[in-house]
Amino acid sequence: MEEQVEELKQLLGDDAGRKSSSSEEKKRNTRIIAITSGKGGVGKSNIAVNMAIAYAQLGKKVILIDGDLGMANVNVLLNVVPQYNLMHVINKKKTMKEIINDTEFGIKFVAGANGFSKIANLSVEELDYFAKQFSSLGNADIIIIDTGAGIANNVLQFVAAADEVFVVTTPEPTAITDAYGIIKIITTEIVDRNVDIKLIVNRVHSADEGKRISERIITIVGQFLGYKVDYLGFVYEDSVVQASVIRQKPFIVVNPTSKPSVCLKHIVGRIEKTEPEYNEGVASFLKKFLGKKK
């Protein structure tokens, strides 16, 4: 208990896989990113949507999956009304190709569904069908999964299976402690492999604020968990974000030169300069998601 109190004190401060053997093979592998957060309301889904579009603007083939199985809202941000979702594939009523939604923003979108986390309980035949369908997503360059907020089992499933995990927080004290909390859960619950965790600080008023918040979290994670987390970047607080939500058009489209848009483009540029430590593509993602049952 004393250690936990000390963690929170320092955290709040004064602010109350395996690499592919050839370059050709690495190029073929789809990069799979899970975007998560310790609490709701930090702008995680907005980050996921606009990051996907920023990637598409670089000429990448992008698929965005709504992994928030309880409070899915990616379709609202994209102004898309999905007719089918992943459960239709699991139940063998539709193929993966039939449930993928095209959008006006250059990305493809797959709607999640309540009950998706029960996939591991399917029969071998049903799992085989779903695995073959899911593997068809391997023609994408980037798959971005917007997970639910918090520590539900399906969130950890997505996180454990992805190549990289981006944790979104804000400067609010509760968001900072919850970001640390989700990182702690990830690093203690997923013990079979190292998880590549990076931090994004959303809704900052200055670059210094983003750096200060990130350094605090990274320092405490290193001190108490012995884990290395990288700082990916920050996104400015700006009224264009809320205006874009109301219009149901991503802010990177509504105002591509706004501060949040420029920040997201810069973050994507930084991601593109790195290779994930473990990147084995869609087939590997599915095996890890299923707990290596297949």
Side-chain angles (χ1 to χ4, degrees), residues 13 17 92 131 135 142 147 153-154 159 175 179 187 200 248 264 267 284:
K92 300 176 72 171
S135 293
I142 307 289
T147 79
N153 286 337
N154 59 65
V159 165
T187 56
I200 296 174
Q248 292 183 267
L264 253 299
I267 287 172
S284 176

Side-chain angles (χ1 to χ4, degrees), residues 10-59:
Q10 293 197 36
L11 191 63
L12 288 173
D14 297 327
D15 290 339
R18 181 181 57 183
K19 290 188 178 180
S20 303
S21 58
S22 70
S23 59
E24 182 181 357
E25 188 177 353
K26 282 194 290 185
K27 189 176 180 181
R28 285 203 306 268
N29 283 346
T30 301
R31 190 170 193 163
I32 302 175
I33 298 168
I35 300 183
T36 193
S37 64
K39 68 185 291 287
V42 299
K44 170 183 59 63
S45 295
N46 243 323
I47 295 290
V49 167
N50 286 276
M51 182 180 289
I53 295 170
Y55 257 117
Q57 290 173 348
L58 293 179

Side-chain angles (χ1 to χ4, degrees), residues 6-292:
E6 185 61 26
E7 290 177 29
L8 293 177
K9 278 185 180 178
Q10 293 197 36
L11 191 63
L12 288 173
D14 297 327
D15 290 339
R18 181 181 57 183
K19 290 188 178 180
S20 303
S21 58
S22 70
S23 59
E24 182 181 357
E25 188 177 353
K26 282 194 290 185
K27 189 176 180 181
R28 285 203 306 268
N29 283 346
T30 301
R31 190 170 193 163
I32 302 175
I33 298 168
I35 300 183
T36 193
S37 64
K39 68 185 291 287
V42 299
K44 170 183 59 63
S45 295
N46 243 323
I47 295 290
V49 167
N50 286 276
M51 182 180 289
I53 295 170
Y55 257 117
Q57 290 173 348
L58 293 179
K60 301 287 186 179
K61 294 179 180 178
V62 184
I63 297 175
L64 177 62
I65 298 177
D66 194 338
D68 190 339
L69 308 182
M71 298 288 289
N73 61 3
V74 168
N75 61 299
V76 177
L77 296 174
L78 292 170
N79 195 23
V80 173
V81 181
Q83 189 174 0
Y84 306 112
N85 57 50
L86 285 169
M87 282 305 295
H88 290 93
V89 178
I90 292 172
N91 294 330
K92 300 176 72 171
K93 294 180 179 178
K94 294 291 177 182
T95 65
M96 186 65 69
K97 184 178 180 181
E98 289 174 316
I99 73 162
I100 294 179
N101 299 274
D102 289 314
T103 73
E104 60 181 292
F105 310 114
I107 65 173
K108 294 183 182 294
F109 166 61
V110 175
N114 288 315
F116 181 54
S117 58
K118 298 177 182 176
I119 183 175
N121 297 324
L122 299 179
S123 68
V124 173
E125 182 183 354
E126 289 169 328
L127 279 174
D128 185 60
Y129 176 81
F130 181 78
K132 288 177 181 177
Q133 291 298 318
F134 197 88
S135 293
S136 68
L137 300 181
N139 62 353
D141 298 308
I142 307 289
I143 293 177
I144 294 178
I145 303 167
D146 176 33
T147 79
I151 56 173
N153 286 337
N154 59 65
V155 173
L156 293 179
Q157 278 182 286
F158 283 125
V159 165
D163 299 320
E164 300 161 281
V165 179
F166 299 164
V167 175
V168 179
T169 188
T170 70
E172 293 179 4
T174 53
I176 295 170
T177 56
D178 286 337
Y180 174 76
I182 189 68
I183 293 171
K184 185 174 183 178
I185 292 294
I186 291 169
T187 56
T188 55
E189 293 292 327
I190 304 171
V191 296
D192 59 335
R193 71 180 187 94
N194 288 326
V195 181
D196 187 1
I197 302 174
K198 295 181 173 66
L199 190 67
I200 296 174
V201 185
N202 194 25
R203 296 176 182 163
V204 305
H205 295 91
S206 69
D208 286 343
E209 183 178 38
K211 184 178 180 183
R212 187 174 69 252
I213 297 300
S214 66
E215 286 179 348
R216 183 179 306 157
I217 295 173
I218 289 168
T219 298
I220 304 307
V221 168
Q223 180 178 347
F224 288 97
L225 305 178
Y227 211 91
K228 184 178 183 294
V229 174
D230 294 321
Y231 177 44
L232 194 55
F234 66 90
V235 179
Y236 277 111
E237 171 78 28
D238 195 295
S239 59
V240 70
V241 176
Q242 185 59 32
S244 70
V245 171
I246 293 172
R247 292 179 59 182
Q248 292 183 267
K249 282 199 171 186
F251 60 77
I252 204 167
V253 175
V254 171
N255 191 337
T257 60
S258 67
K259 285 184 177 181
S261 299
V262 172
C263 287
L264 253 299
K265 292 174 184 178
H266 179 70
I267 287 172
V268 167
R270 290 191 65 186
I271 300 168
E272 278 297 277
K273 291 178 181 177
T274 66
E275 281 288 334
E277 187 175 355
Y278 302 96
N279 180 9
E280 297 173 305
V282 169
S284 176
F285 169 87
L286 191 60
K287 287 180 183 177
K288 287 180 286 186
F289 185 87
L290 296 173
K292 300 180 181 177

